[in-house]
Amino acid sequence: MTIYSTMPLELVYDGINHQPGPYVSIKIGDVQLQIESVTPGVGRIVRLLDGPLDAYLRPELSPGTLIAFGHPSS
């Protein structure tokens, strides 16, 4: 792999060995979400896994949004 960049390599490869997660899958209504736990009962949406097409346009379900959740279902 060749990377052409004007940025220093330290910035390009910063965090390359950092493993994100752990992720939890929850279902809210008819939408399946993958979230990353921030604190107990609060998570950050990583991505939508399944749901109707209009769910992808709802701003409250956009990645990065913090949501409250109860008992996650794996």
Side-chain angles (χ1 to χ4, degrees):
M1 174 173 68
T2 304
I3 297 177
Y4 297 101
S5 176
T6 58
M7 295 174 54
L9 285 178
E10 294 81 21
L11 292 177
V12 173
Y13 291 119
D14 185 37
I16 195 167
N17 293 324
H18 173 67
Q19 294 294 325
Y23 297 132
V24 177
S25 177
I26 64 169
K27 190 163 183 102
I28 298 178
D30 56 351
V31 179
Q32 184 83 20
L33 300 169
Q34 183 179 46
I35 63 169
E36 180 180 19
S37 184
V38 177
T39 61
V42 177
R44 179 175 284 114
I45 298 175
V46 177
R47 62 181 173 168
L48 276 70
L49 297 174
D50 188 31
L53 293 178
D54 65 336
Y56 292 87
L57 299 174
R58 292 172 45 192
E60 66 271 12
L61 297 177
S62 63
T65 303
L66 293 177
I67 60 168
F69 64 95
H71 299 286
S73 60
S74 298

